[in-house]
Amino acid sequence: ACLAAQYIIDPDQSKCLDCPTGGICNGSDVQEFLLEVQGDGSELNLTVLWEIIPFNVVASNTEEDRARLIECPAGYLLVRGDLLDDLRPQDDQCAMCPATFYSVQIASWFELNQTLVSNTLAEALTGDKCVPCEAGAVCAGGRSVEPKPGFYSAPVAEARRAWSTRTRPESSPWEQQPHSNLDVGVLGWWSTGALWQSSS
């Protein structure tokens, strides 16, 4: 039997493998979730996706199946060492966008379409692939975006109408604070509101 911090591809043919850095293993599988610690100390269960794929072990010139990370939840970058001369499946993990940055997109790795993927944890922690926090917002990291005092989040229909017409909402004394990267079609904070500030 494998240890709790390991997984196995095929109990009849495979050996026990150490759990990837960003994985949660139970002795048989890499579990498809991560636990995000909240401000009150509670844990939120978020979905991640792993895929079993052939991996060439350069040292022994053999091919083995390994679990590779292919999707992280919004607010995270997908760290996957996949340079041709530096394959590191053991280091696969989801890295939260640091404070003063955020992301509302799911990070994913597919051969022809990679979104929010970093090659190393150090690269991910710079936040350069996350969205910088806008003026008028407080970003604690991950997908957290909260309005500063004097700002508020407008209802989605109102925000979309005002953004599309570049006018203030009907029956409202508020003016929009422009956001150059706004995409109201993306699931997440920006699809449910926009930052507004009193015009007075």
Side-chain angles (χ1 to χ4, degrees):
C2 297
L3 300 176
Q6 294 180 318
Y7 71 101
I8 191 168
I9 307 296
D10 182 346
D12 295 325
Q13 300 180 21
S14 306
K15 62 181 181 181
C16 296
L17 299 166
D18 291 335
C19 201
T21 300
I24 298 175
C25 296
N26 61 5
S28 61
D29 302 311
V30 182
Q31 305 295 290
E32 295 197 324
F33 67 89
L34 65 79
L35 297 175
E36 181 181 271
V37 179
Q38 306 299 290
D40 61 1
S42 62
E43 293 181 328
L44 182 64
N45 191 321
L46 300 175
T47 300
V48 298
L49 297 180
W50 296 83
E51 179 181 50
I52 304 300
I53 62 171
F55 173 71
N56 184 48
V57 182
V58 177
S60 59
N61 195 30
T62 60
E63 191 172 85
E64 299 176 357
D65 287 344
R66 295 290 179 91
R68 298 303 310 263
L69 187 60
I70 60 171
E71 187 173 286
C72 294
Y76 289 79
L77 297 180
L78 194 158
V79 179
R80 179 167 162 149
D82 260 334
L83 296 179
L84 290 178
D85 58 347
D86 189 21
L87 296 173
R88 291 170 282 105
Q90 198 60 30
D91 294 339
D92 288 6
Q93 60 190 290
C94 297
M96 183 182 286
C97 289
T100 72
F101 293 89
Y102 71 96
S103 174
V104 296
Q105 279 188 287
I106 290 175
S108 61
W109 190 100
F110 296 101
E111 193 166 344
L112 300 177
N113 185 17
Q114 300 177 19
T115 304
L116 299 175
V117 174
S118 292
N119 188 59
T120 65
L121 179 60
E123 177 186 307
L125 293 179
T126 65
D128 66 335
K129 293 190 177 181
C130 302
V131 180
C133 202
E134 288 82 5
V138 176
C139 303
R143 61 197 169 280
S144 172
V145 186
E146 298 293 337
K148 288 180 178 178
F151 291 73
Y152 80 103
S153 178
V156 60
E158 197 172 80
R160 287 181 175 175
R161 180 172 59 250
W163 180 259
S164 64
T165 61
R166 302 298 199 277
T167 60
R168 65 182 63 185
E170 297 173 7
S171 306
S172 174
W174 307 89
E175 289 183 345
Q176 184 175 22
Q177 302 301 299
H179 175 265
S180 60
N181 296 319
L182 179 65
D183 180 355
V184 295
V186 174
L187 291 176
W189 191 85
W190 282 109
S191 70
T192 57
L195 288 179
W196 301 76
Q197 186 180 35
S198 173
S199 60
S200 60

Coordinates of all heavy atoms in Angstrom, one line a residue, residues 107-193:
A107 N -7.5 29.4 -14.4 CA -6.2 29.1 -15.0 C -6.2 27.7 -15.6 O -6.6 26.8 -14.9 CB -5.1 29.3 -14.0
S108 N -5.8 27.5 -16.8 CA -5.9 26.2 -17.4 C -4.6 26.0 -18.3 O -4.1 26.9 -18.9 CB -7.1 26.1 -18.2 OG -7.2 27.0 -19.3
W109 N -4.3 24.7 -18.4 CA -3.2 24.2 -19.3 C -3.7 23.2 -20.2 O -4.1 22.1 -19.8 CB -2.1 23.6 -18.4 CG -0.8 23.4 -19.3 CD1 0.3 24.2 -19.3 CD2 -0.5 22.3 -20.1 NE1 1.2 23.7 -20.2 CE2 0.7 22.5 -20.7 CE3 -1.3 21.2 -20.5 CZ2 1.3 21.6 -21.6 CZ3 -0.7 20.3 -21.4 CH2 0.6 20.5 -22.0
F110 N -3.8 23.6 -21.5 CA -4.0 22.6 -22.5 C -3.0 22.8 -23.6 O -2.5 23.9 -23.7 CB -5.5 22.8 -23.1 CG -6.5 22.5 -22.1 CD1 -7.2 23.6 -21.5 CD2 -6.9 21.2 -21.8 CE1 -8.1 23.3 -20.5 CE2 -7.8 20.9 -20.8 CZ -8.5 22.0 -20.2
E111 N -2.6 21.8 -24.3 CA -1.5 21.9 -25.2 C -1.5 23.1 -26.1 O -0.5 23.7 -26.4 CB -1.3 20.6 -26.0 CG 0.0 20.5 -26.7 CD 0.2 19.1 -27.2 OE1 -0.5 18.1 -26.8 OE2 1.1 18.9 -28.1
L112 N -2.7 23.4 -26.7 CA -2.8 24.5 -27.6 C -3.4 25.8 -27.0 O -3.5 26.8 -27.7 CB -3.6 24.1 -28.8 CG -3.0 22.9 -29.6 CD1 -3.9 22.5 -30.8 CD2 -1.6 23.2 -30.1
N113 N -3.7 25.8 -25.8 CA -4.4 26.9 -25.1 C -4.0 27.0 -23.7 O -4.6 26.3 -22.9 CB -5.9 26.8 -25.3 CG -6.6 28.0 -24.8 OD1 -6.0 29.1 -24.6 ND2 -7.9 27.9 -24.6
Q114 N -3.1 27.8 -23.3 CA -2.6 28.0 -21.9 C -3.1 29.3 -21.4 O -2.8 30.4 -22.0 CB -1.1 27.8 -21.8 CG -0.7 26.4 -22.3 CD 0.8 26.3 -22.3 OE1 1.5 27.0 -21.6 NE2 1.3 25.3 -23.0
T115 N -3.8 29.4 -20.3 CA -4.3 30.6 -19.7 C -3.7 30.7 -18.2 O -3.9 29.8 -17.4 CB -5.8 30.6 -19.6 OG1 -6.3 30.4 -21.0 CG2 -6.3 31.9 -19.1
L116 N -3.1 31.8 -18.0 CA -2.6 32.1 -16.6 C -1.7 31.0 -16.1 O -1.8 30.5 -15.0 CB -3.7 32.4 -15.6 CG -4.6 33.6 -16.0 CD1 -5.8 33.6 -15.0 CD2 -3.8 34.9 -16.0
V117 N -0.7 30.6 -16.9 CA 0.3 29.6 -16.6 C 1.6 30.2 -16.3 O 2.1 31.0 -17.1 CB 0.3 28.5 -17.7 CG1 1.4 27.5 -17.4 CG2 -1.0 27.8 -17.9
S118 N 2.3 29.8 -15.2 CA 3.6 30.2 -14.9 C 4.5 29.0 -14.9 O 4.1 27.9 -14.5 CB 3.7 30.9 -13.6 OG 3.0 32.2 -13.7
N119 N 5.8 29.2 -15.2 CA 6.7 28.0 -15.2 C 7.3 27.7 -13.9 O 7.7 26.6 -13.6 CB 7.9 28.3 -16.2 CG 8.7 27.1 -16.4 OD1 8.3 26.0 -16.8 ND2 10.0 27.2 -16.1
T120 N 7.3 28.7 -13.0 CA 7.9 28.5 -11.6 C 7.0 29.3 -10.6 O 6.3 30.2 -11.0 CB 9.3 29.1 -11.5 OG1 9.3 30.5 -11.7 CG2 10.2 28.5 -12.6
L121 N 7.1 28.8 -9.4 CA 6.4 29.5 -8.3 C 6.9 30.9 -8.1 O 6.1 31.9 -7.9 CB 6.5 28.7 -7.0 CG 5.8 29.3 -5.8 CD1 4.3 29.4 -6.0 CD2 6.1 28.5 -4.5
A122 N 8.2 31.2 -8.2 CA 8.7 32.5 -8.1 C 8.1 33.4 -9.1 O 7.8 34.6 -8.8 CB 10.2 32.5 -8.2
E123 N 8.0 33.0 -10.3 CA 7.4 33.8 -11.4 C 5.9 34.1 -11.1 O 5.5 35.2 -11.3 CB 7.5 33.0 -12.7 CG 6.8 33.7 -13.9 CD 6.9 32.8 -15.2 OE1 8.0 32.4 -15.5 OE2 5.8 32.6 -15.8
A124 N 5.2 33.1 -10.6 CA 3.8 33.3 -10.3 C 3.6 34.3 -9.2 O 2.7 35.1 -9.2 CB 3.2 32.0 -9.9
L125 N 4.5 34.3 -8.2 CA 4.3 35.2 -7.0 C 4.6 36.7 -7.3 O 4.4 37.5 -6.5 CB 5.2 34.7 -5.9 CG 4.8 33.3 -5.3 CD1 5.7 32.9 -4.1 CD2 3.3 33.4 -4.8
T126 N 5.2 36.9 -8.5 CA 5.4 38.3 -8.9 C 4.0 39.0 -9.2 O 3.9 40.2 -9.2 CB 6.3 38.5 -10.1 OG1 5.7 37.9 -11.2 CG2 7.7 37.8 -9.8
G127 N 3.0 38.2 -9.6 CA 1.7 38.7 -9.9 C 1.6 39.2 -11.3 O 0.6 39.8 -11.7
D128 N 2.7 39.1 -12.1 CA 2.6 39.8 -13.4 C 1.6 39.2 -14.4 O 1.2 39.9 -15.3 CB 4.0 39.7 -14.1 CG 4.5 38.3 -14.4 OD1 4.0 37.4 -13.8 OD2 5.3 38.2 -15.3
K129 N 1.1 38.0 -14.1 CA 0.0 37.5 -15.0 C -1.4 37.7 -14.4 O -2.4 37.4 -15.0 CB 0.3 36.0 -15.2 CG 1.5 35.8 -16.1 CD 1.6 34.4 -16.6 CE 2.9 34.2 -17.5 NZ 3.0 32.9 -18.0
C130 N -1.4 38.3 -13.2 CA -2.7 38.6 -12.6 C -3.1 40.1 -13.0 O -2.3 40.7 -13.6 CB -2.6 38.5 -11.0 SG -2.2 36.8 -10.5
V131 N -4.2 40.5 -12.6 CA -4.7 41.9 -12.9 C -4.3 42.8 -11.7 O -4.7 42.5 -10.6 CB -6.2 41.9 -13.1 CG1 -6.6 43.3 -13.5 CG2 -6.6 40.9 -14.2
P132 N -3.6 43.9 -12.0 CA -3.3 44.9 -10.9 C -4.6 45.5 -10.4 O -5.5 45.7 -11.1 CB -2.5 46.0 -11.6 CG -1.9 45.3 -12.9 CD -3.0 44.3 -13.3
C133 N -4.6 45.7 -9.1 CA -5.8 46.3 -8.4 C -6.0 47.7 -8.9 O -5.1 48.5 -9.0 CB -5.5 46.3 -6.9 SG -7.1 46.3 -5.9
E134 N -7.3 48.0 -9.2 CA -7.6 49.3 -9.7 C -7.7 50.3 -8.6 O -7.9 50.0 -7.4 CB -8.9 49.3 -10.5 CG -8.9 48.6 -11.8 CD -9.0 47.1 -11.7 OE1 -9.2 46.6 -10.6 OE2 -8.9 46.4 -12.7
A135 N -7.5 51.6 -9.0 CA -7.8 52.7 -8.0 C -9.3 52.6 -7.6 O -10.1 52.4 -8.4 CB -7.5 54.0 -8.6
G136 N -9.5 52.7 -6.3 CA -10.9 52.5 -5.9 C -11.2 51.1 -5.4 O -12.4 50.9 -4.9
A137 N -10.3 50.2 -5.4 CA -10.5 48.9 -5.0 C -9.4 48.4 -4.0 O -8.3 49.0 -4.0 CB -10.6 47.9 -6.1
V138 N -9.7 47.4 -3.2 CA -8.7 46.8 -2.3 C -8.7 45.3 -2.7 O -9.7 44.7 -2.8 CB -9.1 46.9 -0.8 CG1 -8.2 46.2 0.1 CG2 -9.2 48.4 -0.4
C139 N -7.5 44.9 -3.0 CA -7.3 43.5 -3.5 C -6.4 42.7 -2.5 O -5.2 43.0 -2.4 CB -6.7 43.4 -4.9 SG -7.7 44.3 -6.1
A140 N -7.0 41.8 -1.8 CA -6.2 41.0 -0.8 C -5.5 39.9 -1.4 O -4.8 39.1 -0.7 CB -7.1 40.6 0.3
G141 N -5.6 39.7 -2.7 CA -5.0 38.5 -3.3 C -6.1 37.5 -3.8 O -7.2 37.6 -3.3
G142 N -5.7 36.6 -4.6 CA -6.7 35.6 -5.2 C -7.7 36.3 -6.0 O -7.4 37.1 -6.9
R143 N -9.0 36.1 -5.8 CA -10.1 36.7 -6.6 C -10.8 37.8 -5.8 O -11.8 38.3 -6.2 CB -11.1 35.6 -7.1 CG -11.7 34.9 -5.9 CD -12.4 33.6 -6.4 NE -12.8 32.9 -5.2 CZ -12.0 32.1 -4.5 NH1 -10.7 32.0 -4.8 NH2 -12.4 31.5 -3.4
S144 N -10.2 38.2 -4.7 CA -10.8 39.2 -3.8 C -10.6 40.6 -4.3 O -9.5 41.1 -4.5 CB -10.2 39.1 -2.4 OG -10.6 40.1 -1.6
V145 N -11.7 41.3 -4.6 CA -11.7 42.7 -5.0 C -12.9 43.4 -4.2 O -14.0 43.0 -4.4 CB -12.0 42.9 -6.5 CG1 -11.8 44.3 -6.9 CG2 -11.0 42.0 -7.3
E146 N -12.5 44.3 -3.4 CA -13.5 45.0 -2.6 C -13.4 46.5 -2.8 O -12.3 47.0 -2.9 CB -13.4 44.7 -1.1 CG -13.5 43.3 -0.7 CD -14.9 42.8 -0.9 OE1 -15.9 43.6 -0.9 OE2 -15.1 41.5 -1.0
P147 N -14.5 47.3 -2.9 CA -14.4 48.7 -3.1 C -13.9 49.4 -1.8 O -14.2 49.0 -0.7 CB -15.9 49.1 -3.4 CG -16.7 48.0 -2.8 CD -15.9 46.8 -2.9
K148 N -13.1 50.5 -2.1 CA -12.6 51.3 -1.0 C -13.8 52.2 -0.5 O -14.8 52.3 -1.1 CB -11.5 52.2 -1.4 CG -10.2 51.5 -1.7 CD -9.2 52.5 -2.2 CE -7.8 51.9 -2.4 NZ -6.8 52.9 -2.9
P149 N -13.7 52.7 0.7 CA -14.7 53.7 1.2 C -15.0 54.8 0.2 O -14.0 55.3 -0.4 CB -14.1 54.2 2.5 CG -13.2 53.2 3.0 CD -12.6 52.6 1.7
G150 N -16.2 55.1 -0.1 CA -16.6 56.1 -1.1 C -16.8 55.5 -2.4 O -17.3 56.1 -3.4
F151 N -16.5 54.2 -2.6 CA -16.8 53.5 -3.8 C -17.8 52.4 -3.5 O -18.0 52.0 -2.4 CB -15.5 52.8 -4.4 CG -14.5 53.8 -4.9 CD1 -13.8 54.6 -4.0 CD2 -14.3 53.9 -6.2 CE1 -12.8 55.4 -4.5 CE2 -13.3 54.8 -6.7 CZ -12.6 55.6 -5.8
Y152 N -18.5 51.9 -4.6 CA -19.4 50.8 -4.4 C -19.5 50.0 -5.6 O -19.1 50.4 -6.7 CB -20.8 51.3 -3.9 CG -21.7 51.8 -5.0 CD1 -22.7 51.0 -5.5 CD2 -21.5 53.0 -5.5 CE1 -23.6 51.5 -6.5 CE2 -22.3 53.5 -6.5 CZ -23.4 52.7 -7.0 OH -24.2 53.2 -8.0
S153 N -20.1 48.8 -5.5 CA -20.2 47.9 -6.7 C -21.7 48.0 -7.2 O -22.6 47.8 -6.5 CB -20.0 46.5 -6.2 OG -20.2 45.6 -7.3
A154 N -21.8 48.5 -8.4 CA -23.1 48.7 -9.0 C -23.8 47.4 -9.4 O -23.1 46.4 -9.7 CB -23.0 49.6 -10.2
P155 N -25.1 47.3 -9.5 CA -25.8 46.1 -9.9 C -25.3 45.8 -11.4 O -25.0 46.7 -12.1 CB -27.2 46.5 -9.9 CG -27.3 47.6 -8.9 CD -26.0 48.3 -9.0
V156 N -25.4 44.5 -11.7 CA -24.8 44.1 -13.0 C -25.4 44.8 -14.2 O -24.7 45.2 -15.1 CB -24.9 42.6 -13.1 CG1 -26.3 42.1 -13.0 CG2 -24.2 42.1 -14.4
A157 N -26.8 44.8 -14.2 CA -27.4 45.4 -15.4 C -27.0 46.9 -15.5 O -26.8 47.4 -16.6 CB -28.9 45.3 -15.3
E158 N -27.0 47.6 -14.4 CA -26.7 49.0 -14.4 C -25.2 49.2 -14.9 O -24.9 50.1 -15.6 CB -26.9 49.5 -13.0 CG -27.0 51.0 -12.8 CD -27.3 51.4 -11.4 OE1 -26.4 51.3 -10.6 OE2 -28.5 51.7 -11.2
A159 N -24.3 48.4 -14.4 CA -22.9 48.5 -14.7 C -22.7 48.2 -16.2 O -22.0 48.9 -16.9 CB -22.1 47.5 -13.9
R160 N -23.4 47.2 -16.7 CA -23.2 46.9 -18.1 C -23.7 48.0 -19.0 O -23.1 48.4 -20.0 CB -23.9 45.5 -18.5 CG -23.2 44.3 -17.9 CD -23.9 43.1 -18.3 NE -23.1 41.9 -17.9 CZ -23.5 40.6 -18.0 NH1 -24.7 40.4 -18.5 NH2 -22.8 39.6 -17.6
R161 N -24.9 48.5 -18.7 CA -25.5 49.6 -19.5 C -24.6 50.8 -19.5 O -24.3 51.4 -20.5 CB -26.9 49.9 -18.9 CG -27.6 51.0 -19.7 CD -29.0 51.2 -19.3 NE -29.1 51.5 -17.9 CZ -29.6 50.7 -17.0 NH1 -30.0 49.5 -17.3 NH2 -29.7 51.1 -15.7
A162 N -24.1 51.2 -18.3 CA -23.3 52.4 -18.2 C -22.0 52.2 -18.9 O -21.5 53.1 -19.6 CB -23.1 52.7 -16.7
W163 N -21.4 51.0 -18.8 CA -20.1 50.8 -19.5 C -20.3 50.8 -21.0 O -19.4 51.4 -21.7 CB -19.5 49.4 -19.0 CG -18.2 49.2 -19.7 CD1 -17.9 48.4 -20.7 CD2 -16.9 49.8 -19.3 NE1 -16.6 48.4 -21.1 CE2 -15.9 49.3 -20.2 CE3 -16.5 50.7 -18.3 CZ2 -14.6 49.7 -20.1 CZ3 -15.2 51.0 -18.2 CH2 -14.3 50.5 -19.1
S164 N -21.3 50.2 -21.5 CA -21.5 50.2 -22.9 C -21.8 51.5 -23.5 O -21.5 51.8 -24.7 CB -22.6 49.2 -23.3 OG -23.9 49.6 -22.8
T165 N -22.4 52.4 -22.8 CA -22.8 53.7 -23.3 C -21.9 54.8 -22.8 O -22.0 56.0 -23.2 CB -24.2 54.1 -22.9 OG1 -24.3 54.1 -21.5 CG2 -25.2 53.0 -23.5
R166 N -21.0 54.5 -21.8 CA -20.1 55.5 -21.2 C -20.9 56.6 -20.6 O -20.5 57.8 -20.5 CB -19.1 56.1 -22.2 CG -18.2 55.1 -23.0 CD -17.3 54.3 -22.0 NE -16.2 53.7 -22.6 CZ -16.2 52.5 -23.2 NH1 -17.4 51.8 -23.3 NH2 -15.1 52.0 -23.8
T167 N -22.0 56.3 -20.0 CA -22.8 57.3 -19.3 C -23.1 56.8 -17.9 O -23.0 55.7 -17.6 CB -24.2 57.5 -20.0 OG1 -24.9 56.3 -20.1 CG2 -24.0 58.0 -21.5
R168 N -23.5 57.8 -17.1 CA -23.8 57.4 -15.7 C -25.2 56.6 -15.7 O -26.0 56.8 -16.6 CB -23.9 58.6 -14.8 CG -25.0 59.6 -15.1 CD -24.9 60.8 -14.2 NE -23.7 61.5 -14.3 CZ -23.3 62.5 -13.6 NH1 -24.1 62.9 -12.6 NH2 -22.2 63.2 -13.8
P169 N -25.4 55.7 -14.7 CA -26.6 55.0 -14.7 C -27.8 55.9 -14.5 O -27.8 57.0 -14.0 CB -26.4 54.1 -13.4 CG -25.0 54.1 -13.2 CD -24.5 55.4 -13.6
E170 N -29.0 55.4 -14.9 CA -30.2 56.1 -14.8 C -30.6 56.3 -13.3 O -30.4 55.4 -12.5 CB -31.4 55.4 -15.5 CG -31.2 55.2 -17.0 CD -32.2 54.3 -17.6 OE1 -33.2 53.9 -16.9 OE2 -32.1 54.0 -18.8
S171 N -31.1 57.5 -13.0 CA -31.5 57.7 -11.6 C -30.4 57.5 -10.6 O -30.6 57.0 -9.5 CB -32.7 56.9 -11.2 OG -33.8 57.0 -12.2
S172 N -29.2 57.9 -10.9 CA -28.1 57.7 -10.0 C -27.1 58.8 -10.1 O -26.8 59.3 -11.2 CB -27.3 56.4 -10.4 OG -26.2 56.2 -9.6
P173 N -26.6 59.3 -9.0 CA -25.6 60.4 -9.0 C -24.2 60.0 -9.1 O -23.3 60.6 -8.5 CB -25.9 61.1 -7.7 CG -26.2 60.0 -6.8 CD -27.0 59.0 -7.6
W174 N -24.0 58.8 -9.7 CA -22.6 58.2 -9.6 C -22.0 58.3 -11.0 O -22.6 58.2 -12.0 CB -22.7 56.8 -9.2 CG -23.4 56.6 -7.9 CD1 -24.7 56.4 -7.7 CD2 -22.9 56.7 -6.6 NE1 -25.1 56.3 -6.4 CE2 -23.9 56.5 -5.6 CE3 -21.6 56.9 -6.0 CZ2 -23.8 56.5 -4.3 CZ3 -21.4 56.9 -4.7 CH2 -22.5 56.8 -3.8
E175 N -20.7 58.4 -11.0 CA -19.9 58.4 -12.2 C -18.9 57.2 -12.2 O -18.4 56.8 -11.2 CB -19.1 59.7 -12.4 CG -19.9 60.9 -12.7 CD -19.1 62.1 -12.9 OE1 -17.9 62.1 -12.5 OE2 -19.6 63.1 -13.4
Q176 N -18.7 56.7 -13.4 CA -17.9 55.5 -13.5 C -16.4 55.8 -13.4 O -15.9 56.8 -13.9 CB -18.1 54.8 -14.8 CG -17.4 53.5 -15.0 CD -17.7 52.8 -16.2 OE1 -18.2 53.4 -17.1 NE2 -17.5 51.5 -16.3
Q177 N -15.7 55.0 -12.7 CA -14.2 55.1 -12.7 C -13.8 54.1 -13.8 O -14.0 52.9 -13.6 CB -13.7 54.7 -11.3 CG -14.2 55.6 -10.2 CD -13.8 57.0 -10.4 OE1 -12.7 57.4 -10.5 NE2 -14.9 57.9 -10.6
P178 N -13.2 54.5 -14.9 CA -12.9 53.6 -16.0 C -12.0 52.5 -15.6 O -11.1 52.6 -14.8 CB -12.2 54.6 -17.0 CG -12.6 55.9 -16.6 CD -12.8 55.9 -15.2
H179 N -12.2 51.4 -16.3 CA -11.4 50.2 -16.0 C -11.1 49.6 -17.4 O -11.9 49.1 -18.1 CB -12.2 49.1 -15.2 CG -11.5 47.8 -15.1 ND1 -11.7 46.8 -15.9 CD2 -10.6 47.4 -14.2 CE1 -11.0 45.8 -15.6 NE2 -10.2 46.1 -14.6
S180 N -9.8 49.8 -17.8 CA -9.4 49.5 -19.2 C -9.5 48.0 -19.6 O -9.6 47.6 -20.7 CB -8.0 50.0 -19.5 OG -7.1 49.3 -18.6
N181 N -9.5 47.1 -18.5 CA -9.5 45.7 -18.8 C -10.8 45.0 -18.5 O -10.9 43.8 -18.5 CB -8.4 45.0 -18.0 CG -7.0 45.5 -18.4 OD1 -6.7 45.7 -19.5 ND2 -6.2 45.7 -17.4
L182 N -11.8 45.8 -18.4 CA -13.1 45.3 -18.0 C -13.7 44.4 -19.1 O -13.7 44.7 -20.3 CB -14.1 46.4 -17.7 CG -15.6 45.9 -17.4 CD1 -15.5 45.2 -16.0 CD2 -16.5 47.1 -17.3
D183 N -14.1 43.2 -18.7 CA -14.8 42.3 -19.6 C -16.0 41.7 -18.9 O -15.9 40.8 -18.1 CB -13.8 41.1 -20.0 CG -14.5 40.2 -21.0 OD1 -15.7 40.3 -21.2 OD2 -13.8 39.2 -21.5
V184 N -17.2 42.3 -19.2 CA -18.3 41.9 -18.4 C -18.8 40.5 -18.7 O -19.7 39.9 -18.1 CB -19.5 42.9 -18.7 CG1 -19.2 44.2 -18.1 CG2 -19.9 42.9 -20.1
G185 N -18.2 39.8 -19.7 CA -18.5 38.5 -20.1 C -17.8 37.4 -19.2 O -18.1 36.3 -19.3
V186 N -16.7 37.9 -18.5 CA -16.0 37.0 -17.7 C -16.7 36.7 -16.4 O -17.1 37.6 -15.7 CB -14.6 37.5 -17.4 CG1 -13.8 36.6 -16.5 CG2 -13.8 37.7 -18.7
L187 N -16.8 35.4 -16.0 CA -17.4 35.1 -14.7 C -16.5 35.6 -13.6 O -15.3 35.5 -13.6 CB -17.5 33.6 -14.6 CG -18.6 32.9 -15.5 CD1 -18.5 31.4 -15.3 CD2 -20.0 33.5 -15.2
G188 N -17.1 36.2 -12.6 CA -16.3 36.7 -11.5 C -16.8 38.1 -11.0 O -17.9 38.5 -11.4
W189 N -15.9 38.7 -10.3 CA -16.3 40.0 -9.7 C -16.7 41.0 -10.7 O -17.7 41.7 -10.5 CB -15.1 40.5 -8.8 CG -15.5 41.6 -8.0 CD1 -16.1 41.6 -6.7 CD2 -15.4 43.0 -8.3 NE1 -16.3 42.8 -6.2 CE2 -15.9 43.7 -7.2 CE3 -15.0 43.7 -9.4 CZ2 -16.0 45.1 -7.1 CZ3 -15.0 45.1 -9.3 CH2 -15.5 45.8 -8.2
W190 N -15.9 41.2 -11.8 CA -16.2 42.2 -12.7 C -17.5 41.9 -13.5 O -18.0 42.8 -14.2 CB -15.1 42.5 -13.7 CG -14.0 43.3 -13.0 CD1 -12.8 42.8 -12.6 CD2 -14.0 44.6 -12.6 NE1 -12.1 43.8 -12.0 CE2 -12.8 44.9 -12.0 CE3 -15.0 45.6 -12.7 CZ2 -12.5 46.2 -11.5 CZ3 -14.7 46.9 -12.2 CH2 -13.5 47.2 -11.6
S191 N -18.0 40.7 -13.5 CA -19.2 40.5 -14.3 C -20.4 40.8 -13.4 O -21.5 40.8 -13.9 CB -19.3 39.0 -14.7 OG -19.5 38.2 -13.6
T192 N -20.3 41.0 -12.1 CA -21.4 41.3 -11.3 C -21.4 42.7 -10.8 O -22.3 43.1 -10.0 CB -21.4 40.3 -10.1 OG1 -20.2 40.5 -9.4 CG2 -21.5 38.9 -10.5
G193 N -20.5 43.5 -11.2 CA -20.5 44.9 -10.8 C -19.3 45.6 -11.3 O -18.4 45.1 -11.9

